[in-house]
Amino acid sequence: MSASSRKPLLISAGVALAAVTLGLVSWQATAPGDTPARPSAASSPEAGSTTDPAARLKALARREPGDKLAAGRADAPVVLIEYSDFKCGYCGKFARDTEPALVKKYVEDGTLRIEWRNFPIFGADSEAAAKAAWAAGQQGRFARFHAAAYAEGAKEKGFGEERLTELAREAGVPDLERFKTDMAGDQAAAALAKDQEEGYRIGVTSTPSFLVNGQPIAGAQPPAAFDAAIAEAKAQAAAK
């Protein structure tokens, strides 16, 4: 069975403990055949911060005002965290069909903040695209690069160095030489590793995966599923 045709699956043994510790069930949509093991939540330095699984997931929202891979107010009542891969077909579907409406409906009115996590699981091209997206973000073009890389038919062209530079140009990245340097630099690698370790630590082994104020949503669900999750999270935030 190909990765792109899989339905929600069981979490791999290497990260099952992390998922159980956080009270998660399987939330996969697309995943490669073998997912490398990562440290479990039980062994993570951050795991002891609270014993409430929901609070631990909610606390993953970074809410950094200068986060270049985020959209929306840092103090928005609802934060949607998206773990995604640029080679993932379902991620592209979400980016094209659902995400723009969420931005228009909820981000623009201050209800929602979206924080993207690069979570490449389909090999070297995925990792290269993730680093390129980060590099575009350093020049304020993450959202436009994100849209270009997820455009219909984009992933079929691959994510080699020349293609990534072409996408950066399409996204309006002003300094392409800086983009290439940033993409290949240690900071891009460190940012990618941070996102990956966060995802594996909580049991994410497929893309797209989401948290809405700590509540997991699996896969590119229809817009109504996100509307309902955002409405519930907003009501809960208002009640506190």
Side-chain angles (χ1 to χ4, degrees):
M1 182 183 297
S2 69
S4 61
S5 66
R6 291 182 178 178
K7 300 300 182 184
L9 304 174
L10 293 177
I11 294 171
S12 67
V15 293
L17 180 57
V20 171
T21 302
L22 292 171
L24 297 179
V25 295
S26 173
W27 59 343
Q28 296 196 21
T30 58
D34 296 304
T35 303
R38 291 295 191 276
S40 72
S43 64
S44 166
E46 299 177 25
S49 58
T50 176
T51 57
D52 180 355
R56 290 165 71 180
L57 291 178
K58 186 176 180 180
L60 292 174
R62 295 171 186 170
R63 293 186 177 275
E64 297 170 359
D67 189 344
K68 298 181 183 300
L69 273 66
R73 291 169 40 178
D75 63 349
V78 183
V79 178
L80 182 152
I81 301 175
E82 175 187 347
Y83 300 87
S84 57
D85 182 319
F86 285 103
K87 288 190 71 176
C88 163
Y90 290 120
C91 297
K93 178 176 175 58
F94 174 78
R96 293 188 300 272
D97 299 347
T98 303
E99 196 166 62
L102 296 181
V103 171
K104 185 173 182 61
K105 188 173 182 180
Y106 300 112
V107 173
E108 292 182 3
D109 76 356
T111 297
L112 181 68
R113 175 177 175 83
I114 299 176
E115 296 185 358
W116 289 274
R117 304 287 194 263
N118 282 312
F119 196 73
I121 56 176
F122 290 104
D125 262 17
S126 292
E127 293 199 2
K131 292 176 182 178
W134 181 89
Q138 302 316 293
Q139 299 187 55
R141 295 294 188 273
F142 174 81
R144 291 173 63 176
F145 185 94
H146 177 274
Y150 278 131
E152 192 73 52
K155 74 183 181 72
E156 283 75 18
K157 296 180 181 179
F159 292 118
E161 184 175 350
E162 289 186 10
R163 173 62 177 153
L164 291 172
T165 302
E166 179 184 335
L167 287 170
R169 186 178 293 110
E170 184 179 336
V173 174
D175 187 339
L176 292 177
E177 289 307 312
R178 177 190 168 189
F179 166 79
K180 293 176 185 177
T181 299
D182 287 346
M183 180 171 58
D186 292 341
Q187 285 185 293
L192 175 56
K194 180 180 179 180
D195 286 355
Q196 287 179 306
E197 290 303 322
E198 176 183 295
Y200 282 119
R201 189 171 65 247
I202 65 170
V204 178
T205 56
S206 67
T207 56
S209 290
F210 306 91
L211 294 173
V212 178
N213 276 15
Q215 297 301 314
I217 294 180
Q221 300 294 329
F226 291 93
D227 288 336
I230 291 167
E232 180 180 359
K234 182 180 179 181
Q236 290 176 347
K240 292 182 179 180

